[in-house]
Amino acid sequence: MTDAPSPSSPLSASSPPSAPRRTALDATHRALGATMTDFAGWEMPLRYGSERDEHTAVRTRAGLFDLSHMGEITLTGPQAAAALDRALVGHLSALAVGRARYTMICDAEGGILDDLIVYRLGDQEFLVVANASNAQVVLDALTERAAGLDAAVRDDRDAYALIAVQGPAAATILSGLTDADLDGLKYYAGLPGTVAGVPALIARTGYTGEDGFELFVAPKDAERLWQALTEAGAPAGLIACGLSCRDTLRLEAGMPLYGHELTRGTTPFDAGLGRVVKFGKPGDFTGRAALETAARQAETAPPRALVGLVAAGRRVPRAGYAVVGADGTVIGEVTSGAPSPTLGKPIAMAYVDAGHAAPGTAGVSVDIRGTHEPYEVVALPFYKRR
């Protein structure tokens, strides 16, 4: 879910006119020579050196990310679970303590306001993590939708720094710094613990397609934890990674990015993520009627589908480029595109007419500056770890 700048538009999340905020690790990034970018109101590291090297490190060893721009919102109280069931499309009251769930918040028309991860920290406490560009929208919507219930909504964006270690060596690196039971920590679960002596919420989540962990800590502890992870990970080949490679990693893994695959103009069913909508949960929720219509349409006559495209040549598609059929008519639009370091060729995600969505559909191409470049339609994801 999480924010990452698209390779086609490093500043794809609109920034407010005020000066960008800086994370607790800003000085560390600059000391490492990071290329910084203004993203969603934050100055964030785009890359430290080679984007390809950073991408490859995560796929084969481990990468270290600062994700402190993400938006944390806490809900507490006897009816916190009911408030989330009312506000979101998922069934959060059924979430066990210590587990996490990917979900979405939609408007009354079924359009996606944001995609989220929700952690249940206790019987009456939940942590909602929103994309930086939508954090205020999510906070406002949760506050409004919790009205009348015995639940408190708290803006905790300043309470956390968020550091992620991702890649096949992530568990080995982290295990040397914590007594937490990482072997027993399932995917999409979290537990409180200490890492390098720093109190943390240790979550087995990520946005790269690899195993990994996201560590929620107090901002004052961020530098200490970053340094400890850097030192512990050096023998395994861990390197600092920026938001640019995070985007190519999530693209290969077929993970949607808000503002590209997910927008207010799309429903979860458009994006092939209708499974996150839980119609069977108790009570009503915002967008239910519209989403029931979208669900019926998805079953009977979906107008479009989100697909993968793999280039036959070397030219890279970008968001907004037209996808055309064998007869030259426009059949869709690219939502994200980039060179794939793992596949060794350009790839893209695109919404296309349902009649052209089957893998192997003949004659599909992308209009790249007036030239129709051939692309193969494939099922998502492009890459899946073994």
Side-chain angles (χ1 to χ4, degrees):
M1 48 120 356
T2 34
D3 277 317
S6 166
S8 60
S9 178
L11 305 182
S12 57
S14 58
S15 301
S18 58
R21 300 178 64 185
R22 295 183 175 184
T23 77
L25 291 164
D26 184 77
T28 300
H29 302 318
R30 295 176 191 276
L32 290 171
T35 298
M36 306 296 288
T37 188
D38 178 356
F39 180 71
W42 292 81
E43 280 206 23
M44 297 298 297
L46 192 62
R47 68 183 72 84
Y48 298 86
S50 162
E51 295 168 7
R52 177 177 291 272
D53 289 348
E54 292 173 21
H55 181 111
T56 301
V58 177
R59 284 280 179 259
T60 60
R61 304 183 306 276
L64 189 61
F65 296 86
D66 179 12
L67 308 179
S68 302
H69 61 311
M70 302 299 289
E72 293 87 5
I73 302 163
T74 300
L75 276 79
T76 57
Q79 292 186 295
L84 288 172
D85 279 349
R86 175 197 287 182
L88 310 180
V89 302
H91 188 183
L92 282 308
S93 61
L95 188 63
V97 173
R99 297 307 304 267
R101 183 160 296 166
Y102 176 78
T103 187
M104 296 182 184
I105 183 167
C106 292
D107 60 23
E109 290 71 43
I112 302 168
L113 297 179
D114 202 13
D115 61 333
L116 313 163
I117 295 180
V118 178
Y119 300 86
R120 190 165 196 166
L121 305 182
D123 288 339
Q124 299 183 14
E125 183 178 7
F126 296 80
L127 179 66
V128 178
V129 182
N131 288 303
S133 54
N134 296 325
Q136 188 63 47
V137 170
V138 174
L139 176 65
D140 292 345
L142 289 175
T143 301
E144 178 183 348
R145 297 175 191 185
L149 297 176
D150 190 0
V153 180
R154 185 174 71 236
D155 182 357
D156 273 347
R157 283 177 285 181
D158 292 332
Y160 292 101
L162 179 56
I163 296 172
V165 56
Q166 299 279 302
T172 299
I173 293 167
L174 193 59
S175 64
L177 296 173
T178 182
D179 291 333
D181 180 16
L182 299 186
D183 289 339
L185 187 62
K186 297 179 180 180
Y187 187 50
Y188 266 71
L191 80 169
T194 59
V195 182
V198 170
L201 170 63
I202 305 168
R204 199 161 205 157
T205 48
Y207 193 53
T208 63
E210 298 296 337
D211 187 21
F213 302 85
E214 295 182 321
L215 309 173
F216 296 82
V217 300
K220 66 180 178 61
D221 294 326
E223 287 190 7
R224 176 181 173 184
L225 180 57
W226 181 278
Q227 187 59 34
L229 288 165
T230 298
E231 293 174 1
L238 173 143
I239 62 173
C241 296
L243 295 185
S244 187
C245 87
R246 192 159 180 262
D247 192 73
T248 53
L249 289 161
R250 72 90 194 169
L251 177 57
E252 288 185 347
M255 295 176 170
L257 173 64
Y258 195 88
H260 290 254
E261 290 71 43
L262 309 177
T263 68
R264 291 192 185 209
T266 59
T267 73
F269 295 94
D270 292 328
L273 294 169
R275 64 184 181 276
V276 306
V277 182
K278 304 302 181 184
F279 293 116
K281 65 179 175 176
D284 199 7
F285 63 93
T286 303
R288 181 184 187 115
L291 289 169
E292 286 176 337
T293 299
R296 289 192 294 270
Q297 187 176 42
E299 288 183 0
T300 57
R304 59 178 181 166
L306 185 64
V307 302
L309 300 174
V310 177
R314 308 303 303 175
R315 299 188 72 186
V316 179
R318 300 300 186 189
Y321 284 10
V323 182
V324 297
D327 62 357
T329 59
V330 174
I331 60 168
E333 183 176 296
V334 171
T335 53
S336 298
S340 166
T342 304
L343 276 64
K345 54 184 71 174
I347 60 173
M349 285 198 281
Y351 281 110
V352 300
D353 297 343
H356 294 83
T361 299
V364 173
S365 59
V366 176
D367 187 338
I368 301 180
R369 298 177 182 175
T371 301
H372 291 184
E373 298 288 339
Y375 271 75
E376 179 186 1
V377 178
V378 300
L380 293 169
F382 302 99
Y383 165 85
K384 194 169 186 178
R385 66 185 172 97
R386 297 176 183 175

